[in-house]
Amino acid sequence: MLDVLDQDRKPVEGESSRVFASFSTRPSLLNRRLFGPLGELGGAAATALLVIGAVFLLIEFASLMTGIVLTRTITTAVDDLYRATQHVQAGDLSFRVRVPHRDQLAALGDSFNSMMQSVSTLIEEQRQRQRLENELSIAHEVQQQLFPHTLPELPGIELEAVCRPARVVSGDYYDFIRITPTHLAIALADISGKGISAALLMASLQAALRSDVLRYREGQPGYNPSPLNTAEIVSHLNRHLYRNTSDERYATLFFGVYDTQTRRLNYTNAGHPPPIHISGSRVARLETGGMVVGLFNDVPFAQGTIEINPGGVLIPIVTD
């Protein structure tokens, strides 16, 4: 603001005047005025000032370009991560973030890709686990069909049985096969190992045992239950398992035939935990038989016989 005095007018209090002023000059005059006191060094000072100005101009331009590049890099990385989250939200777990550089933002992209790979792996493992659980559930249902649905009813004998597998499927096996109105076959086995492989071997053992025992069933050609020898049945079963299973597979087996008329139980224990016979104050273990079935081709098996008096209890046991 400039104070103006107009000689032709009287000053009025509170009134302001505006003046538009301009001037022109030459750079040489300005330089002479600024650097004249330096004498001969004035030209060098002017040149140095121009150089310094040019340097600062280059620095400013470089800073501008660096800022643009950094801003573009950051916004591009953030945009890639945003698009990746959109793909994940849509269910596309195969999408991966591009990592063109090696910096902290690139490390973030690598971390995101690694996370999505882990998520994809976990989902695939979950699907496989679900598929395996479904197959195990089907195998469990199939195995349950191999156990007797109803227990045979014979005069003078009461039967109870229960099987609680340690897993969904197992190699535990029990069976009651009614041969005649007075003859009942009892089988109890435990397959080596656990899981589906043991369950498959259990099914093979059940099929072989039933096909062999039912030859003596009433109504079959040449029916005669009297020559049924438990040691012979177990020997047949041993050869079947030996020829149709691997070397390390075997089974413990207790097989007996009870006659309700004579109250006698003929049995063969092939390496199975001995069942317990309780009669009054007497307790006996049924150990007669031989070694486990399925390990060797030709091994001898013996048949034992006990008499079960009225009130007697026979307790076969399987423990894992």
Side-chain angles (χ1 to χ4, degrees):
M1 301 293 296
L2 300 176
D3 293 332
V4 179
L5 178 61
D6 189 353
Q7 297 293 338
D8 299 331
R9 295 180 58 187
K10 293 182 178 181
V12 179
E13 186 178 356
E15 184 181 0
S16 61
S17 300
R18 295 185 180 183
V19 175
F20 295 92
S22 65
F23 68 92
S24 62
T25 184
R26 296 189 299 275
S28 60
L29 294 176
L30 182 61
N31 292 337
R32 188 180 307 116
R33 183 69 178 270
L34 291 176
F35 302 106
L38 297 177
E40 295 180 358
L41 298 177
T47 303
L49 184 61
L50 291 175
V51 171
I52 293 174
V55 170
F56 276 101
L57 181 62
L58 291 176
I59 292 176
E60 185 68 22
F61 181 77
S63 299
L64 177 63
M65 296 304 299
T66 303
I68 293 175
V69 171
L70 288 177
T71 302
R72 186 172 183 82
T73 301
I74 294 173
T75 54
T76 301
V78 173
D79 182 66
D80 288 342
L81 288 174
Y82 174 75
R83 289 191 297 107
T85 57
Q86 295 297 314
H87 281 272
V88 173
Q89 185 177 2
D92 182 12
L93 300 181
S94 62
F95 184 82
R96 296 294 181 268
V97 178
R98 295 183 299 104
V99 185
H101 306 289
R102 290 298 172 186
D103 49 21
Q104 291 182 341
L105 291 174
L108 181 61
D110 287 335
S111 178
F112 181 87
N113 292 338
S114 177
M115 179 188 68
M116 294 313 303
Q117 181 64 37
S118 299
V119 171
S120 301
T121 302
L122 289 176
I123 292 177
E124 183 62 27
E125 291 178 354
Q126 180 65 24
R127 290 175 180 173
Q128 294 179 359
R129 182 177 179 181
Q130 185 65 36
R131 190 182 306 113
L132 180 59
E133 289 179 354
N134 293 337
E135 293 176 356
L136 286 176
S137 178
I138 296 174
H140 175 72
E141 295 179 1
V142 173
Q143 187 178 35
Q144 292 302 310
Q145 299 298 321
L146 301 179
F147 292 112
H149 296 289
T150 58
L151 300 181
E153 296 183 0
L154 280 79
I157 184 173
E158 295 182 1
L159 301 174
E160 293 293 340
V162 63
C163 178
R164 295 179 179 176
R167 300 181 181 178
V168 179
V169 293
S170 67
D172 300 326
Y173 167 63
Y174 74 88
D175 206 353
F176 299 101
I177 307 173
R178 182 172 180 174
I179 304 174
T180 71
T182 60
H183 288 82
L184 176 68
I186 302 172
L188 190 68
D190 187 9
I191 311 300
S192 62
K194 299 182 182 298
I196 294 181
S197 60
L200 293 175
L201 185 56
M202 172 264 195
S204 176
L205 183 145
Q206 189 253 17
L209 179 63
R210 276 185 165 265
S211 64
D212 202 6
V213 171
L214 291 179
R215 294 186 296 114
Y216 300 91
R217 194 169 190 175
E218 186 177 9
Q220 297 295 324
Y223 154 72
N224 184 4
S226 57
L228 193 153
N229 186 289
T230 58
E232 181 181 355
I233 296 294
V234 173
S235 180
H236 294 168
L237 190 60
N238 174 69
R239 287 194 293 269
H240 169 76
L241 293 181
Y242 177 81
R243 296 170 182 174
N244 295 280
T245 59
S246 57
D247 295 339
E248 70 277 4
R249 309 300 292 182
Y250 65 91
T252 64
L253 173 69
F254 175 84
F255 177 70
V257 176
Y258 180 68
D259 187 349
T260 59
Q261 289 184 337
T262 62
R263 297 196 183 95
R264 287 185 177 181
L265 174 68
N266 297 328
Y267 72 91
T268 297
N269 188 344
H272 198 75
I276 300 174
H277 174 224
I278 302 175
S279 180
S281 60
R282 292 190 306 108
V283 178
R285 295 179 177 272
L286 281 58
E287 300 177 335
T288 304
M291 67 178 305
V292 297
V293 294
L295 279 182
F296 301 98
N297 188 21
D298 293 319
V299 292
F301 292 95
Q303 175 178 275
T305 302
I306 63 169
E307 184 173 343
I308 301 180
N309 298 321
V313 178
L314 181 64
I315 307 177
I317 301 175
V318 171
T319 57
D320 291 334

